[in-house]
């Protein structure tokens, strides 16, 4: 549970193509329980490494939200609970 901000940590693994390390295009989006897109938190190309981004839900109502992280072929979805 969080109120009103939370930090989302994520990891981008090394991708080696043609003998050279490459960046990955990363998207991190937040959705409500109905599947409506609420926010785009990350939408850019990033090199391999560990990252942390802050999500501010100050304007949202209490409830369950999901974030979806996509990096290349990797997709991760997690639940967040906003309690005000």
């Amino acid at each position: 549970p969080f109120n009103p901000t939370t930090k989302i940590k994520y990891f981008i693994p090394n991708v080696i193509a043609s003998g050279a390390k490459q960046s990955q295009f990363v998207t991190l989006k937040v959705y409500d329980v109905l599947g409506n897109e609420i926010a785009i938190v990350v939408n850019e190309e990033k090199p391999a490494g560990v990252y942390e981004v802050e999500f501010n839900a100050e304007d949202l109502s209490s409830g369950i939200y999901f974030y979806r992280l996509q990096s290349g072929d990797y997709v991760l979805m997690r639940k967040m609970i906003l309690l005000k």
Side-chain angles (χ1 to χ4, degrees), residues 3 9-11 16-17 19 24 26 30 33-35 47 51-55 60 66-67 74 76-78 81:
N3 177 22
K9 293 182 181 182
Y10 61 96
F11 171 75
I16 300 175
Q24 293 277 330
V26 178
V30 177
V33 292
L34 299 175
Y51 296 92
E52 182 176 89
V53 66
E54 185 170 279
F55 174 63
L60 300 176
F66 298 90
Y67 71 83
Y74 178 76
L76 172 73
M77 187 168 259
R78 293 282 189 254
I81 300 173

Side-chain angles (χ1 to χ4, degrees), residues 37-57:
E37 186 178 291
I38 301 299
I40 299 173
V41 183
V42 177
N43 192 35
E44 60 189 355
E45 195 165 305
K46 292 196 172 276
V50 177
Y51 296 92
E52 182 176 89
V53 66
E54 185 170 279
F55 174 63
N56 187 341

Side-chain angles (χ1 to χ4, degrees), residues 1-8 28-32 37-41 53-67 79-84:
F2 70 99
N3 177 22
T5 63
T6 187
K7 292 183 180 177
I8 301 170
L28 194 152
K29 297 180 181 182
V30 177
Y31 298 90
D32 64 13
E37 186 178 291
I38 301 299
I40 299 173
V41 183
V53 66
E54 185 170 279
F55 174 63
N56 187 341
E58 190 173 312
D59 297 333
L60 300 176
S61 58
S62 295
I64 297 173
Y65 295 89
F66 298 90
Y67 71 83
K79 178 171 67 171
M80 304 183 292
I81 300 173
L82 174 59
L83 295 175
K84 288 192 173 183

